[in-house]
Amino acid sequence: MSDPVLLTDWHPVAPARRLDEARPVAAKLLGTDIVLWRDAEGAAHAWQDRCPHRGTRLSIGRIEHGGLTCAYHGWRFAPDGRCMHVPSQPGQLPADSARPKSFRIEERYGLAWVCLGEPARGVLPFPEHDDPKLRKVLCGPYDVASSGPRIVENFLDMAHFAFVHAGVLGDPARTEVRDYRVDPWSDGAGGTGLMATQCFAWQPQTNSLAHGGSEVEYTYRVVRPLTAILTKVPDVQQGFHEAISLHVQPVEEESSRVWLVMAMTNFEQDEATLREFQDRVHDADLARERAQREHDETEERSAVLERGPLPVPLKLRNAPTPLMKSMGYAGGYRYPHNFEGNYVPEEYLPDELQGSRFYEPSDSGEEARIKERLEALRKKRDGQ
Ligand code: FES
Ligand SMILES: [Fe+2]
């Protein structure tokens, strides 16, 4: 959760329309609790969800008299974070430093985006959303007990269509994925990623409006470590355009919230129908994800125990993919680490994992502490 790329990136935390002047909204990002609120001027704010007085969650407070009032002793904080009222000492105010920690917030694509650090660049580009001819629909959020990279990986994976989404996005009789192109992608403003084009799939029902199957051409743009945008053009629906942007809100290391933003030419169906189609696709992915997680945990544990030099089970599934690494996404999700979440020094890895390490331990003492512990374990195992 301390990955510098993620800390300096923007992440969605709530639908923008949920931020109103009626009440604050709680959210969590990279392990940090946040309170979101909108002031009387219409400006949105994102603060650490912690009152500087006695630490109460500000998200259970009230928006009133031009500020956010804490539910415990009623201290009221102005939009700039300054305390403007202390009910028990009406003539006094605390030191100016008694402000909630604030974060940057922006509203784009119907979502509120927060950056916990100094933003490395703007909120990602999604030009289809800026096209006034396309209809925009926000789907989700979907809570998934998995890391962000794994969710992006699934979004890009066409080989699962015929199995997980049989009858909708895939056909069990047509499982082969043909070759497609992958090129570097750039937004011209320092943002880089990858783009896959000429990705073809036969789909029985490619969207909620489709009747009968069609050959569908996909493109995928991975524009941020935790954002991928696809477009799909079905052969048989002339003039139909659809772009779906998948944004992962990294809540904790192993827990994510997925937001989908669609921009499309489907103006015929109501929003509930459009959302229901995406919900169904997501439900199928979620069932598969659960099975994968349970399987991973058993497999990794037994495989490494059998072959490993030490009885330290390794947990590998949070490893960023090469694609994530190519985008500069380097740490936070440690690789490899044991089930207690500790970094495992390279010389203790099984042969096939040697050289696979690409991050540093989170602090200089960590490696020494873990080595000491592993040495003790080894001695115990060898009966020394
Ligand atoms: S804890 Fe917030 S006012 Fe006391
Ligand atoms: Fe899927």
Side-chain angles (χ1 to χ4, degrees), residues 61-88:
R62 290 184 306 278
I63 302 171
E64 57 185 15
H65 308 300
L68 180 59
T69 300
C70 176
Y72 195 0
H73 309 96
W75 287 26
R76 190 184 313 134
F77 300 93
D80 64 3
R82 186 174 40 88
C83 181
M84 58 201 281
H85 182 53
V86 176
S88 62

Side-chain angles (χ1 to χ4, degrees), residues 164 281-294:
V164 175
V281 171
H282 171 76
D283 285 351
D285 278 318
L286 196 63
R288 188 272 321 149
E289 193 280 331
R290 271 196 214 105
Q292 188 177 24
R293 176 162 22 112
E294 282 153 18

